[in-house]
Amino acid sequence: MHLHLPGDKSISHRALILAALADGTSHLTNLSPGDDVDATRSCLEQCGIRISAEGEVVIVAGRGGDFQTPDEDLVAGNSGTTARLLAGMLAGRGIQARLTGDASLSRRPMERVAEPLRQMGADIELSPAGTLPLELRPACLGSLTYTLPVASAQVKSALLLAGLASEGVVNVIEPVPTRNHTELMLQALGVDIQVSGDRITLGSAKRQMPAFDLEIPGDPSSAAFLATLAILLPDMELTFDDLLLNPTRMGFFRALQRMGGQIIWTGKRRAVGEETGSLTVQSSSLKGIEISGAEIPALIDELPILAILASQAEGVTVVRDAGELRVKESDRIRAICENLGSMGGQVEELSDGFRIRGPISLKGAAITTYGDHRIAMAFSVAGYLADGETALDDPDCVAISFPDFHNLVQRVVS
Ligand code: S3P
């Protein structure tokens, strides 16, 4: 079976933001249809950017970095990427804005982005807990050299987007590589940005960007859920066409290969600096592995579904150095361990990860999703592998990143 998945969520946010900053009209196809990307779109519209749709094509009328002060709060919903990237993008644009989020996003750390933006000169205030709401007032931004204390593509991207509005040079040093879509897209659009080892330098030479047309490749983080079903069910073969194959996002598929998963990657080509192509997975027997250190950022969003794979692999799988999972849409370490435990999994919670022994026969259970789309999708997949009934308390929260998830799972299993 061949599938063509909706556009990558990380690239979709960035495509909307860069199209808003560009001079002229951009055309985006296969934009992620999830609520998170909708939040970015609405916030940009509130800041005076006209965005319309003609069939499958989303048309963004870029204003070269000119934004209006929004009349109301900018609501980021559940989306950390919206909140953090927009904080950076708007910090030096001469407007006043207040960013808010839902209950989950309002618990997540924002000081990690506010603090370096203040070092650039931004006027930003957070709640006393360092969370949303984030109040932004007009300010002039200067230079920055900043080493990321936590591996975060959102913080890196926020600083580079802020840098586009500053007079100075911005250096971001990332000791552990994270997804590099912002750098690749800026480079492809001709912005003065250099990557050398662990240092990204946004020079002061060229900040204006031309409008662009982009077909967004399929989301490998969405593919991971369906690929898991194909790997674990008998006699399956599933191919994802036009999938994003950026190495900073392929950690899950690399880990799956190490576990013994049969994977073929073919037909690589480039779109706005990004590798895309086809990826085929086939039913496989798996063994446990250890995952830690610099491998983690390239599969951080896939760890909930990797835990399900681990429960079906021979031996022990250990994940370490993934403490960031505790500050995602939910405390994902807790949510994975609790839910897998209630399905009969042999799982031990670690401060920065988990240890899972397999293979075990999963049994159906009541799943608490915490409104977290990736917990919902991981345990929905687990439900298809389990004996007895599995019921999610909030199956609809998959719409945050992958509204068509339940339909596509049905197609794959039937
Ligand atoms: C994202 C970066 C990651 C990831 C999130 C999307 C991005 O978050 O977990 O789903 O698009 O930049 P962090 O930057 O917090 O690691």
Side-chain angles (χ1 to χ4, degrees):
M1 177 189 287
H2 283 248
L3 290 177
H4 186 269
L5 293 182
D8 183 67
K9 178 159 83 75
S10 292
I11 295 184
S12 294
H13 285 292
R14 287 157 173 82
L16 284 170
I17 289 171
L18 295 183
L21 287 167
D23 282 317
T25 302
S26 295
H27 300 86
L28 311 176
T29 40
N30 205 35
L31 199 70
S32 162
D35 296 344
D36 273 11
V37 170
D38 269 1
T40 291
R41 174 186 172 152
S42 312
C43 290
L44 290 171
E45 286 175 322
Q46 278 180 265
C47 295
I49 304 298
R50 272 191 298 108
I51 305 179
S52 55
E54 251 174 43
E56 301 280 278
V57 186
V58 173
I59 302 164
V60 183
R63 291 167 46 122
D66 177 29
F67 294 100
Q68 284 168 10
T69 288
D71 295 334
E72 289 171 12
D73 288 354
L74 300 176
V75 180
N78 191 249
S79 174
T81 312
T82 304
R84 294 186 179 124
L85 267 56
L86 288 189
M89 184 199 80
L90 294 173
R93 298 287 171 187
I95 66 165
Q96 186 149 346
R98 187 168 182 270
L99 273 157
T100 65
D102 70 5
S104 151
L105 185 57
S106 302
R107 283 191 291 271
R108 296 179 65 188
M110 291 296 151
E111 196 54 46
R112 55 177 62 190
V113 71
E115 192 246 341
L117 286 172
R118 285 191 203 107
Q119 285 184 32
M120 288 178 81
D123 184 348
I124 291 182
E125 204 176 315
L126 294 171
S127 81
T131 55
L132 297 180
L134 182 151
E135 306 263 2
L136 194 67
R137 283 175 288 269
C140 270
L141 305 186
S143 296
L144 176 78
T145 294
Y146 190 73
T147 302
L148 293 176
V150 280
S152 169
Q154 291 175 356
V155 175
K156 170 177 65 175
S157 300
L159 301 179
L160 295 174
L161 292 171
L164 293 173
S166 89
E167 296 288 299
V169 172
V170 173
N171 286 294
V172 183
I173 298 143
E174 53 171 4
V176 182
T178 64
R179 65 193 70 195
N180 60 355
H181 311 303
T182 307
E183 301 89 296
L184 291 179
M185 292 176 81
L186 288 174
Q187 257 163 357
L189 293 173
V191 170
D192 174 20
I193 182 168
Q194 258 37 269
V195 181
S196 168
D198 61 0
R199 177 181 287 252
I200 302 137
T201 304
L202 181 69
S204 48
K206 186 166 185 291
R207 297 292 160 84
Q208 286 311 105
M209 283 175 282
F212 56 95
D213 291 350
L214 176 61
E215 182 171 346
I216 296 163
D219 192 329
S221 299
S222 299
F225 298 100
L226 303 172
T228 296
L229 268 177
I231 288 277
L232 295 177
L233 293 173
D235 305 321
M236 297 272 290
E237 179 172 298
L238 186 56
T239 298
F240 302 98
D241 293 319
D242 299 315
L243 193 71
L244 176 72
L245 299 179
N246 177 321
T248 66
R249 296 288 300 285
M250 285 292 111
F252 170 81
F253 290 101
R254 286 193 294 267
L256 182 52
Q257 252 173 346
R258 270 166 58 214
M259 294 174 90
Q262 299 298 310
I263 308 179
I264 307 156
W265 329 33
T266 45
K268 292 190 185 172
R269 60 184 174 80
R270 286 192 173 264
V272 196
E274 296 282 2
E275 271 179 45
T276 68
S278 305
L279 186 147
T280 300
V281 293
Q282 292 164 342
S283 312
S284 315
S285 331
L286 305 180
K287 58 180 188 331
I289 57 167
E290 291 190 15
I291 305 172
S292 62
E295 286 176 283
I296 295 295
L299 48 57
I300 188 76
D301 291 339
E302 287 68 74
L303 287 170
I305 189 65
L306 197 124
I308 308 305
L309 282 170
S311 76
Q312 303 307 301
E314 184 77 43
V316 176
T317 295
V318 189
V319 171
R320 302 244 49 165
D321 305 320
E324 272 294 296
L325 281 184
R326 296 212 182 264
V327 291
K328 292 292 179 191
E329 288 83 328
S330 68
D331 175 345
R332 287 186 175 158
I333 295 181
R334 176 63 50 84
I336 289 167
C337 295
E338 260 177 25
N339 285 314
L340 195 53
S342 62
M343 294 185 84
Q346 286 190 33
V347 49
E348 183 188 343
E349 180 172 341
L350 307 174
S351 60
D352 62 348
F354 47 80
R355 183 180 283 117
I356 294 171
R357 180 178 287 282
I360 49 118
S361 301
L362 294 172
K363 54 181 174 42
I367 299 300
T368 309
T369 61
Y370 300 96
D372 182 334
H373 55 132
R374 299 200 201 277
I375 295 298
M377 292 189 278
F379 283 91
S380 171
V381 167
Y384 282 95
L385 306 167
D387 289 329
E389 201 190 325
T390 295
L392 275 59
D393 63 353
D394 184 5
D396 295 343
C397 70
V398 303
I400 288 165
S401 63
F402 194 4
D404 213 21
F405 168 78
H406 294 296
N407 290 334
L408 285 177
V409 168
Q410 278 302 330
R411 272 181 61 193
V412 170
V413 298
S414 58

